[in-house]
């Protein structure tokens, strides 16, 4: 019987992005959640020839699609519930490095973030409340 996780991970990506942007945002958000939860990493993988591969998160991540308004609503819900969050704003597409990303993020209006992606990790029930009404990404 599969293990029942007490936590849940949700990645929410804005639906109106180009395909490459959706993939880019998803990858960055997943890395943010991984960095905040090293205890959630599984063991390294090994193939039949004995070659070792990197560890990955040991639990599923659900990917949702959302509008900007829905992302902002999920963000507010996450803040209210104290959930672990990783964020990606539109201005980050125009930067070339992590320091510049932090600079453009800090310049955003915290009450009106131009969210293009949001990753959440926390108690299953609290994550469900934060993503209520969102559909899985198509």
């Amino acid at each position: 019987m599969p293990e029942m996780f007490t936590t849940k991970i949700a990645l929410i990506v804005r639906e109106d992005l180009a395909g490459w942007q959706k993939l880019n945002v998803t990858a960055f958000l997943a890395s943010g959640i991984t960095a905040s939860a090293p205890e959630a990493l599984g063991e390294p993988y090994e193939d039949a020839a004995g070659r070792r591969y990197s560890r990955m998160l040991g639990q599923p991540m659900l990917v949702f699609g959302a509008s900007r308004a829905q992302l902002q609503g999920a963000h507010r819900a996450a803040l209210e519930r104290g959930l672990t969050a990783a964020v990606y704003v539109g201005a980050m597409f125009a930067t070339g490095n992590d320091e510049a990303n932090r600079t453009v993020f800090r310049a955003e209006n915290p009450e009106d973030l131009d969210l293009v992606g949001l990753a959440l990790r926390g108690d299953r029930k609290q994550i469900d409340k934060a993503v209520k009404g969102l559909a899985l990404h198509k």
Side-chain angles (χ1 to χ4, degrees):
M1 186 162 168
E3 178 182 351
M4 184 64 144
F5 297 99
T6 60
T7 60
K8 190 177 230 179
I9 300 170
L11 306 177
I12 310 164
V13 180
R14 207 158 86 192
E15 297 168 323
D16 63 348
L17 300 177
W20 74 267
Q21 290 173 316
K22 290 177 183 179
L23 294 171
N24 184 267
V25 168
T26 302
F28 274 104
L29 293 174
S31 73
I33 290 299
T34 303
S36 69
E39 73 282 359
L41 286 168
E43 294 301 317
Y45 285 75
E46 187 173 308
D47 67 19
R51 292 180 292 247
R52 292 179 59 95
Y53 299 87
S54 291
R55 299 163 50 187
M56 293 188 282
L57 283 173
Q59 74 180 94
M61 291 179 267
L62 299 172
V63 182
F64 296 88
S67 67
R68 181 174 186 233
Q70 288 173 313
L71 272 162
Q72 288 176 330
H75 180 252
R76 280 190 300 277
L79 292 175
E80 291 167 3
R81 290 170 170 72
L83 300 173
T84 298
V87 295
Y88 202 104
V89 295
M92 292 164 86
F93 287 125
T95 67
N97 61 68
D98 189 48
E99 183 178 340
N101 283 346
R102 286 193 305 278
T103 298
V104 297
F105 181 73
R106 184 176 296 274
E108 291 274 325
N109 175 352
E111 303 307 319
D112 189 31
L113 294 172
D114 182 25
L115 290 170
V116 296
L118 175 68
L120 305 173
R121 182 173 186 265
D123 176 78
R124 295 176 59 82
K125 291 179 183 178
Q126 297 303 315
I127 295 291
D128 288 342
K129 290 176 183 176
V131 299
K132 186 174 179 147
L134 298 182
L136 290 174
H137 194 280
K138 297 175 190 170

